[in-house]
């Protein structure tokens, strides 16, 4: 196939490396960029470079941060005795969006998965244990996905933390809010019956 | 459940085939190697997403083609159209399954909705063969009854696999004992639920098996099935302490030595003597047929559905009397599709049946009725 521009080809090829973007979408975006004004395209390019240059892992929680310590960890208004352990930085955004949690976070940057060759030493677990050893926490909330890897990581972290006498809890398993019982799979229904609450 | 129509494209020796079945009895006759069993195999693929010949999908594809497709129209059922397509895309195998034109992503959402039971010559291996064949057979029956069981088995396998990787690391002094404890706990919970399901299933299944064996054999006593577990208990806490105690053996072998993946179903008489040690070839055949009859019945009882019965060439071993009595036993249990080399002559049975003749990938029907 002969193409009119190697520059267009290059942009299409680079964009199709992104998640959820195939060759067709990449080509569409490339043509759109071509049509856009130069300042707008420069803004996009600069914002991408800035993203890569300026974001780092927060020294405190392991989440994403623009400075040494992220805005959530340095916020003095947040409860200091509850810590929520999550898999990735995106989970922090999701839990923050719920507005339900007022404590601080700890990001593991993955889950234990022997099948993928990921062990505890590859995750941000040792800093969590140090934090807990230093004291000051009443409760650690494990907010990991209810998969085999998530459950294993939860159990592992709990076994390391419980010797410090800190309460370790896990977020509930069960029905999504507003769902129709008819469409829920049996494993989820079984979990929600197991975890039923008194009213 | 009645299979009314079957369509095959590039499936084994059929480039393009469409068959309309009788709701009662169907006979498929033809010479050796003409492709009789391939039709049953296709029905079993639509039902179980796997060939009863236990081979990869790429072997099912017609020569020189890169995909196969099969679909079945079903009546007397909650769903009416089942489709299975398989192809290679960028050298990767991909299977697409649909029910009533909706694509299904999870095998457990598909499995158990179109239920078939196969009577095939190799059934005798369930009696004679390795424990793995028996586990596989009973797991497939339980999965037909409880589709969630497939998910549980897959999770159990994944947990075992992960645990074995950790055991091997510990054996090489690179492992984390705390991590092993975690996997012991995960293992115990899953093993417990699989053991409980298998145990309660085998109690129900045994009643049917004994009844059917007595009926088919005409003997006075029937052997029965024993589920032999390698773990002492099915309670998750007891399993956990057992697994913790066994961890040293597991580490030495780099493998999970005890668990549902090592269990067996052994047929014995009332004196606990193993069936395969005293049974004749005929008794073994009777036992394997009894297993399949019991499968048909337990589906009828627990799912309140009549399944589709596929019978592959087991008549060649039976005399005419046994042949007729077997058809008699089966014909009220659901739609039946037989394959056989010889034509069938019994006029009483032929009257409400349909005959198909297979010759080199061409199927013609009903001429001699």
């Amino acid at each position: 196939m002969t193409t009119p521009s190697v520059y267009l080809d290059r942009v299409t090829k680079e964009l199709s490396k992104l998640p959820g973007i195939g060759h067709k979408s990449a080509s569409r975006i490339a043509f759109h960029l071509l049509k856009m004004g130069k300042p707008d395209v420069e803004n996009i390019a600069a914002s991408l470079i800035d993203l890569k240059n300026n974001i780092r892992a927060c020294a405190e929680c392991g989440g994403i941060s623009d400075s040494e310590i992220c805005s959530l960890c340095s916020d003095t208004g947040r409860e200091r005795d509850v810590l929520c352990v999550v898999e990735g930085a995106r989970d922090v955004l999701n839990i923050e969006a719920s507005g339900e949690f007022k404590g601080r976070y700890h990001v593991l940057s993955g889950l234990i998965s022997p099948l993928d060759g990921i062990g505890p030493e590859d995750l941000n677990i040792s800093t969590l244990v140090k934090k807990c050893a230093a004291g000051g926490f009443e409760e650690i909330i494990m907010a990991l996905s209810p998969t085999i890897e998530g459950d294993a990581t939860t159990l592992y972290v709990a076994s390391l933390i419980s010797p410090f006498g800190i309460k370790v809890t896990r977020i509930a398993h069960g029905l999504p809010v507003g769902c129709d019982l008819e469409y829920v799979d049996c494993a989820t229904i079984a979990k929600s019956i197991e975890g039923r609450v008194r009213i | 459940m009645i299979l009314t129509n079957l369509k095959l494209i590039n499936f084994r020796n059929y480039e393009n085939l469409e068959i309309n079945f009788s709701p009662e009895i169907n006979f498929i006759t033809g010479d050796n190697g003409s492709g009789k069993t391939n039709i049953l195999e296709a029905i079993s693929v639509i039902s179980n997403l796997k060939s009863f010949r236990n081979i990869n999908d790429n072997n099912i594809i017609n020569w020189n083609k890169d995909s196969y497709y099969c679909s079945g129209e079903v009546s007397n059922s909650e769903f009416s159209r089942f489709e299975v397509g398989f192809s290679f895309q960028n050298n990767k195998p991909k299977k697409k399954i649909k029910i009533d034109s909706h694509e299904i992503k999870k095998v457990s959402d598909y499995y158990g909705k179109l239920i078939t039971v196969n009577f095939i010559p190799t059934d005798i291996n369930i009696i004679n063969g390795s424990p793995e064949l028996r586990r596989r057979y009973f797991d497939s029956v339980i999965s037909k009854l409880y589709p969630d069981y497939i998910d549980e088995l897959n999770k159990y396998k994944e947990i075992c696999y992960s645990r074995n990787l950790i055991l091997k690391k510990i054996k090489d002094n690179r492992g984390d004992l705390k991590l092993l404890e975690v996997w012991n706990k995960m293992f115990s919970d899953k093993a417990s639920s699989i053991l409980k399901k298998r145990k309660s299933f085998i109690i129900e299944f045994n009643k049917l098996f004994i009844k059917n064996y007595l009926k088919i054999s005409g003997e006075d006593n029937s052997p029965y099935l024993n589920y032999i577990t390698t773990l002492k208990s099915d309670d998750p806490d007891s399993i956990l302490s057992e697994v913790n105690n066994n961890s040293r053996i597991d580490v030495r072998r780099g493998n999970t030595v005890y668990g549902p993946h090592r269990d067996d179903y052994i047929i014995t008489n009332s004196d606990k003597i193993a069936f395969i040690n005293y049974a004749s070839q005929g008794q073994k055949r009777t036992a394997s047929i009894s297993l399949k009859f019991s499968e048909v019945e337990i589906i009828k009882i627990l799912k309140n559905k009549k399944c589709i019965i596929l019978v592959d060439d087991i008549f060649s071993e039976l005399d005419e009397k046994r042949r007729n009595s077997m058809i008699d036993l089966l014909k009220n249990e659901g739609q039946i599709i037989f394959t056989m080399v010889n034509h069938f002559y019994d006029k009483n049975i032929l009257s409400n049946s349909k005959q198909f003749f297979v010759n080199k990938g061409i199927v013609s029907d009903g001429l001699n009725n």
Side-chain angles (χ1 to χ4, degrees):
Chain A
M1 189 178 75
T2 49
T3 51
S5 162
V6 286
Y7 301 108
L8 189 74
D9 283 352
R10 188 177 159 206
V11 172
T12 308
K13 203 173 139 207
E14 294 302 323
L15 285 173
S16 57
K17 288 178 184 167
L18 299 173
I21 295 185
H23 182 78
K24 278 259 154 95
S25 311
S27 162
R28 212 175 117 224
I29 295 170
F31 271 103
H32 189 79
L33 287 168
L34 199 59
K35 256 195 281 178
M36 282 169 81
K38 200 175 172 202
D40 285 340
V41 177
E42 276 170 349
N43 265 337
I44 292 176
S47 69
L48 291 177
I49 302 295
D50 283 348
L51 177 82
K52 216 47 207 166
N53 282 345
N54 298 323
I55 289 188
R56 52 183 134 172
C58 166
E60 194 66 34
C61 70
I64 54 169
S65 172
D66 293 347
S67 47
E68 175 82 23
I69 307 289
C70 74
S71 54
L72 288 167
C73 288
S74 50
D75 183 350
T76 49
R78 298 188 78 93
E79 292 165 15
R80 303 200 70 78
D81 53 353
V82 200
L83 190 69
C84 181
V85 178
V86 295
E87 176 187 346
R90 269 184 67 189
D91 300 323
V92 174
L93 301 186
N94 282 336
I95 296 175
E96 274 305 288
S98 78
E100 195 58 36
F101 180 68
K102 301 276 182 267
R104 287 183 299 157
Y105 293 93
H106 184 88
V107 180
L108 294 176
S109 307
L111 296 174
I112 298 173
S113 172
L115 295 177
D116 301 305
I118 301 171
E121 62 282 358
D122 302 313
L123 305 177
N124 190 16
I125 290 179
S126 56
T127 48
L128 173 64
V129 176
K130 266 182 223 150
K131 258 192 251 180
C132 292
F137 289 112
E138 284 282 317
E139 181 179 356
I140 308 290
I141 302 173
M142 301 299 297
L144 306 179
S145 310
T147 56
I148 290 176
E149 290 81 16
D151 288 347
T153 312
T154 297
L155 286 172
Y156 182 78
V157 171
S159 73
L160 294 178
I161 295 172
S162 43
F164 302 120
I166 304 168
K167 181 164 85 177
V168 185
T169 56
R170 165 158 82 178
I171 54 169
H173 293 162
L175 303 175
V177 175
C179 76
D180 196 326
L181 204 58
E182 194 183 343
Y183 298 112
V184 178
D185 66 286
C186 302
T188 306
I189 292 181
K191 278 283 176 200
S192 54
I193 287 181
E194 197 182 300
R196 66 191 185 277
V197 288
R198 201 189 174 111
I199 46 171
Chain B
M1 226 177 255
I2 308 287
L3 181 68
T4 53
N5 174 283
L6 176 75
K7 275 198 191 84
L8 306 180
I9 297 170
N10 297 335
F11 192 97
R12 292 221 184 243
N13 64 335
Y14 298 105
E15 272 185 32
N16 206 323
L17 175 72
E18 183 166 358
I19 305 185
N20 293 310
F21 289 108
S22 151
E24 288 172 25
I25 304 176
N26 298 274
F27 293 104
I28 301 172
T29 57
D31 292 337
N32 290 330
S34 59
K36 301 182 296 292
T37 304
N38 296 348
I39 296 173
L40 295 193
E41 185 182 30
I43 300 169
S44 142
V45 165
I46 297 173
S47 161
N48 303 319
L49 301 173
K50 225 191 310 187
S51 162
F52 51 63
R53 285 172 168 142
N54 233 325
I55 48 154
N56 285 336
D57 286 296
N58 41 346
N59 295 321
I60 294 175
I61 301 175
N62 191 304
W63 294 106
N64 303 323
K65 298 291 188 328
D66 53 10
S67 64
Y68 77 72
Y69 168 87
C70 41
S71 73
E73 304 273 351
V74 180
S75 66
N76 276 4
S77 155
E78 203 179 334
F79 304 97
S80 57
R81 190 175 166 77
F82 294 82
E83 294 170 86
V84 177
F86 175 85
S87 66
F88 279 99
Q89 285 176 356
N90 308 323
N91 285 327
K92 276 192 200 134
K94 184 165 165 45
K95 198 179 257 175
K96 205 172 192 178
I97 53 180
K98 285 186 193 169
I99 294 179
D100 291 345
S101 305
H102 293 291
E103 192 171 347
I104 307 288
K105 296 281 180 201
K106 257 172 75 188
V107 173
S108 58
D109 289 338
Y110 186 96
Y111 209 85
K113 296 205 163 66
L114 171 62
I115 310 179
T116 55
V117 174
N118 317 313
F119 288 71
I120 51 177
T122 48
D123 283 345
I124 199 154
N125 295 342
I126 303 171
I127 311 289
N128 271 340
S130 66
E132 195 196 338
L133 290 175
R134 281 184 287 282
R135 280 194 300 271
R136 202 187 292 155
Y137 170 66
F138 286 108
D139 281 343
S140 82
V141 181
I142 302 173
S143 303
K144 284 175 193 172
L145 300 168
Y146 311 100
D148 287 333
Y149 183 72
I150 306 173
D151 289 338
E152 292 221 79
L153 272 182
N154 286 339
K155 280 194 183 137
Y156 175 78
K157 274 184 206 150
E158 199 184 323
I159 290 169
C160 275
Y161 194 71
S162 297
R163 183 172 184 269
N164 291 348
L165 289 172
I166 291 162
L167 291 169
K168 286 187 188 96
K169 272 195 171 178
I170 295 175
K171 194 180 174 189
D172 301 342
N173 290 322
R174 294 181 295 123
D176 181 339
L177 285 171
K178 265 241 147 68
L179 207 54
L180 180 61
E181 278 173 32
V182 167
W183 248 270
N184 287 352
K185 170 94 176 81
M186 310 259 300
F187 173 87
S188 309
D189 289 347
K190 253 320 150 241
S192 159
S193 67
I194 287 173
L195 285 173
K196 283 177 180 162
K197 279 228 171 74
R198 285 184 182 173
K199 281 181 180 174
S200 66
F201 163 80
I202 215 71
I203 291 171
E204 289 308 308
F205 193 83
N206 233 335
K207 294 177 196 158
L208 299 171
F209 174 74
I210 293 168
K211 188 192 82 182
N212 285 318
Y213 185 89
L214 291 175
K215 195 157 78 186
I216 296 168
S217 69
E219 294 171 24
D220 297 331
N221 293 303
S222 166
Y224 59 96
L225 286 153
N226 301 271
Y227 178 43
I228 310 294
T229 61
T230 45
L231 291 166
K232 289 187 191 81
S233 162
D234 59 20
D235 169 68
D237 294 331
S238 319
I239 295 177
L240 182 59
S241 63
E242 211 180 323
V243 172
N244 282 334
N245 289 338
N246 292 336
S247 283
R248 245 185 337 154
I249 308 171
D250 286 352
V251 166
R252 205 165 53 224
R253 304 219 189 149
N255 210 326
T256 304
V257 178
Y258 302 106
H261 62 294
R262 289 290 173 88
D263 292 350
D264 197 357
Y265 301 81
I266 296 176
I267 304 177
T268 66
N269 66 6
S270 52
D271 296 325
K272 290 270 168 199
I273 298 172
F275 183 67
I276 49 166
N277 292 342
Y278 69 80
S280 71
Q281 191 67 11
Q283 284 174 312
K284 286 177 192 166
R285 176 62 71 189
T286 308
S288 75
I289 291 175
S290 307
L291 283 179
K292 295 302 177 101
F293 268 111
S294 311
E295 186 182 341
V296 170
E297 275 192 292
I298 202 162
I299 290 164
K300 190 169 71 180
I301 295 167
L302 293 179
K303 294 218 100 171
N304 202 16
K305 279 179 190 171
K306 281 189 175 177
C307 59
I308 298 161
I309 300 166
L310 310 175
V311 186
D312 185 24
D313 207 19
I314 60 171
F315 282 177
S316 47
E317 287 188 5
L318 302 176
D319 56 40
E320 200 179 331
K321 196 178 121 225
R322 272 166 217 256
R323 233 184 260 177
N324 288 344
S325 70
M326 193 170 156
I327 294 174
D328 259 354
L329 275 174
L330 280 175
K331 72 179 178 201
N332 295 323
E333 299 298 331
Q335 182 190 26
I336 318 174
I337 303 170
F338 290 101
T339 68
M340 49 213 267
V341 177
N342 299 317
H343 292 193
F344 198 80
Y345 296 113
D346 190 303
K347 286 278 180 289
N348 292 332
I349 290 168
L350 280 181
S351 61
N352 39 17
S353 72
K354 199 166 173 183
Q355 295 225 43
F356 299 89
F357 304 99
V358 184
N359 188 15
K360 291 178 186 151
I362 310 282
V363 178
S364 48
D365 63 63
L367 301 174
N368 282 14
N369 257 5

